[in-house]
Amino acid sequence: MIQKIINALIAPIRKHCIFYIAMLALFGISALFVQYYGSRKSIILEIFFDAYAVSLIVALMPKKWQKIAKHILFALFTLIGMIDMVCYKTTGIAISPNIMTTWLQTNSNEAFEAFSSYITYVLISPAILFLLLPLCIWWLKRIGFTINRHIALFIAGITIISTVYGIENKIYIYKTHALKTDDTMVMVCDYKEISREYLPHYRLLYSVKEISRFSNMRESLEKNMETAQIDSCSFDSPIIVLLIGESYNRHHSSLYGYDKETTPRQQQMFNNGELYRFNDVISSYNLTFKSFQNMLSLYNYDKKHNWYDYPLVTTLFRKAGYEVSFFSNQFCLDKRSSLSEIIDDMFINNEKLSKHMFDKRNAKTCQYDLGLIDEYKQLCDTASSAPQLVIFSFIGMHAEFSKRYPPEFAKFDAEDYIRKDLNTKEIQTIAEYDNAILYNDFVVDSIVHCFKEREAIIIHVPDHGELVYDNTTLFGRKLQLEKTVVPPQYDIPFTIYCSPSYKEKHNDICRMIEASTERPFMTDDLAHLLLFLAGIKCEEYDESRNLIDENFNEERKRLICGEVDYDILCN
């Protein structure tokens, strides 16, 4: 009985040995020469499972189909592998939703030119290995290559180890490829030691699924934008300015007690009673596109369905009669000058949807965020009395930090910090991050001065924070929701500035703002505050989610990423 099981186990390896070796070689070429998630060592181990699985599928087919199935599968995997290799070696990106979107937007002439330019590259790159592999297979057939029982057992043992080792990643692939899920699957499992779509065919399937998912999102968004309705609007705040920062860790702001003077201008406004500082505000996500979705839509994790099933606040403002402008140093319809990703093209950078969301927006990005003010002055009538919602989206503290500020703002360097647990380069990174915050302080102050003589209220809120060696040796953004890394990534500054004329005419609102600065708040409820400030009445507005309303629900659980209670984890 045991012998029968063993023989059945090694049958795909022995009976289809040349095909098995071909699959192992095909997958191995991609694993060796295309760097994706995870280490190459772990991926090399995992491909033993894949080669065995494909051989097993062939072995289970009727014999009359096996030969043609081998040829089709070999040709298919070879083609996908070559395309993936060429993409990676020419653009630095393997097959992905971004790459596939580019293909779909390419016309026949562009495609032919690309093929012509890359054909020579194929012959001098690792992609040539895919073309040489059929010769190796022909040679193996000619010499009558076989795998004896002992070697087959050894390979089967490695395959079992591969299966056990990669089980978590296979669960991830199953969830992202087989289940009918949406953007909530961002956190389907722990990414710490995961290879994700480690082979070209997995990447292709993932890309197809994502493009289809994004297409459905676009359709839902467009429908919601067209059907969104408001009951009335009193235009309580004629000018609302929303400043959306990027990667702003509150613990690096001197306005919040940081020991380096990174926000002197906002500190002065706060000392003069011009600026309201909120002390317990967190982001809902540490990913830009997720944070933007939650801030600009009436969705929150308590609701059913998905974020794109609810109206966007910008659309409601436009339907109310506000002129909505968007000036961004990240999201731009001119993709040549933007950091656009496929999710941005689906949402903010989609031309059709953009017309529903914004009246005016900049056509190109600037070297530094201060340039957005010039874009605003060029496109908007600064003397107009029409109600306005003006959104500035900064590149802020997006890595690389040293590129986010002019040389004259390089106030801090490594010598200003004492961190024995870090090397000089890491300490310099902290200094550059603080310099970027110092420059951001200057930009915020400059925008305040643009609106100071008008009846305006200005809200400054980042999309999320950033881990910059804060009490750890870790850097960047981590998807693990652990107490040591969450606060730097989710604790963000939140301030409101009211111009003198706004204060004079809306003293009641200013008192409400002042009374709410210690309330716990998460940015997925920002839309309700914006609707209240404008005086927009609609079905989706909820006063219990409006930060400055007396009926604001301070007991609401703040679930970061929609799954972990921030206050239980960190407080």
Side-chain angles (χ1 to χ4, degrees), residues 262-329:
T262 54
T263 53
R265 295 168 181 82
Q266 291 175 78
Q267 183 69 52
Q268 186 63 46
M269 285 189 277
F270 176 73
N271 294 341
N272 294 340
E274 301 171 330
L275 190 74
Y276 299 97
R277 179 188 68 196
F278 289 76
N279 297 314
D280 192 6
V281 176
I282 63 170
S283 174
S284 58
Y285 267 89
N286 64 343
L287 300 171
T288 296
F289 74 91
K290 292 291 294 180
S291 178
F292 261 79
Q293 291 167 7
N294 287 349
M295 284 197 289
L296 298 182
S297 76
L298 272 295
Y299 169 81
N300 57 68
Y301 68 81
D302 298 313
K303 294 184 176 180
K304 297 179 181 179
H305 307 300
N306 304 292
W307 71 272
Y308 46 85
D309 295 318
Y310 295 88
L312 298 177
V313 70
T314 51
T315 302
L316 295 174
F317 265 76
R318 290 191 73 235
K319 293 201 171 189
Y322 273 80
E323 180 183 87
V324 180
S325 305
F326 184 67
F327 300 94
S328 176
N329 223 9

Side-chain angles (χ1 to χ4, degrees), residues 464-478:
H464 53 74
E466 188 86 358
L467 182 61
V468 192
Y469 307 111
D470 297 82
N471 302 315
T472 72
T473 56
L474 300 176
F475 173 79
R477 266 171 278 159
K478 309 297 179 183

Side-chain angles (χ1 to χ4, degrees), residues 224-458:
N224 290 332
M225 289 174 175
E226 291 174 350
T227 59
Q229 295 181 344
I230 66 161
D231 299 326
S232 64
C233 180
S234 55
F235 303 101
D236 292 341
S237 303
I239 300 177
I240 301 174
V241 183
L242 178 62
L243 311 181
I244 303 180
E246 167 65 47
S247 304
Y248 197 146
N249 178 342
R250 183 174 77 211
H251 303 288
H252 284 254
S253 168
S254 55
L255 181 64
Y256 286 87
Y258 187 53
D259 62 357
K260 301 290 186 294
E261 193 177 34
T262 54
T263 53
R265 295 168 181 82
Q266 291 175 78
Q267 183 69 52
Q268 186 63 46
M269 285 189 277
F270 176 73
N271 294 341
N272 294 340
E274 301 171 330
L275 190 74
Y276 299 97
R277 179 188 68 196
F278 289 76
N279 297 314
D280 192 6
V281 176
I282 63 170
S283 174
S284 58
Y285 267 89
N286 64 343
L287 300 171
T288 296
F289 74 91
K290 292 291 294 180
S291 178
F292 261 79
Q293 291 167 7
N294 287 349
M295 284 197 289
L296 298 182
S297 76
L298 272 295
Y299 169 81
N300 57 68
Y301 68 81
D302 298 313
K303 294 184 176 180
K304 297 179 181 179
H305 307 300
N306 304 292
W307 71 272
Y308 46 85
D309 295 318
Y310 295 88
L312 298 177
V313 70
T314 51
T315 302
L316 295 174
F317 265 76
R318 290 191 73 235
K319 293 201 171 189
Y322 273 80
E323 180 183 87
V324 180
S325 305
F326 184 67
F327 300 94
S328 176
N329 223 9
Q330 287 199 69
F331 309 111
C332 194
L333 292 176
D334 180 3
K335 298 178 180 63
R336 292 170 299 176
S337 60
S338 73
L339 296 176
S340 172
E341 298 289 346
I342 186 171
I343 190 69
D344 310 331
D345 297 332
M346 182 281 300
F347 175 31
I348 295 178
N349 279 356
N350 181 274
E351 290 192 36
K352 192 172 183 179
L353 297 181
S354 180
K355 292 177 181 178
H356 286 283
M357 293 188 286
F358 312 116
D359 294 289
K360 297 175 181 177
R361 60 183 299 179
N362 54 314
K364 59 182 180 180
T365 55
C366 316
Q367 182 178 6
Y368 302 116
D369 286 333
L370 190 64
L372 295 176
I373 298 178
D374 294 329
E375 294 287 329
Y376 166 73
K377 290 179 178 178
Q378 289 175 16
L379 294 176
C380 296
D381 182 2
T382 57
S384 173
S385 59
Q388 297 180 46
L389 171 63
V390 185
I391 303 175
F392 290 94
S393 167
F394 301 144
I395 196 169
M397 279 61 73
H398 195 287
E400 307 171 26
F401 308 138
S402 60
K403 295 181 179 180
R404 304 302 168 223
Y405 55 88
E408 59 267 28
F409 282 85
K411 176 180 179 181
F412 306 105
D413 58 37
E415 295 180 356
D416 297 317
Y417 303 80
I418 301 175
R419 288 290 299 271
K420 295 182 179 180
D421 56 329
L422 303 177
N423 60 42
T424 302
K425 183 179 180 181
E426 291 168 337
I427 297 174
Q428 182 61 31
T429 298
I430 300 176
E432 291 168 355
Y433 183 75
D434 290 347
N435 288 331
I437 290 181
L438 179 66
Y439 177 66
N440 176 265
D441 180 62
F442 171 72
V443 174
V444 170
D445 183 65
S446 299
I447 293 176
V448 165
H449 277 80
C450 282
F451 293 91
K452 197 166 190 176
E453 303 304 320
R454 305 165 71 185
E455 190 181 338
I457 182 169
I458 302 175

Side-chain angles (χ1 to χ4, degrees), residues 86 135 166 184 202 259 291 301 423 483 510 530 571:
V86 172
L135 295 176
T184 58
Y202 291 139
D259 62 357
S291 178
Y301 68 81
N423 60 42
K483 185 174 181 178
C510 293
L530 295 174
N571 295 334

Side-chain angles (χ1 to χ4, degrees), residues 93-137:
I93 303 173
I95 292 176
S96 67
N98 282 342
I99 291 290
M100 285 201 64
T101 301
T102 302
W103 294 346
L104 294 173
Q105 294 173 347
T106 301
N107 59 41
S108 57
N109 290 334
E110 291 172 333
F112 179 76
E113 290 175 3
F115 176 79
S116 301
S117 62
Y118 291 149
I119 190 66
T120 303
Y121 182 82
V122 170
L123 300 176
I124 59 173
S125 75
I128 191 65
L129 296 175
F130 289 107
L131 299 179
L132 295 177
L133 192 56
L135 295 176
C136 297
I137 293 173

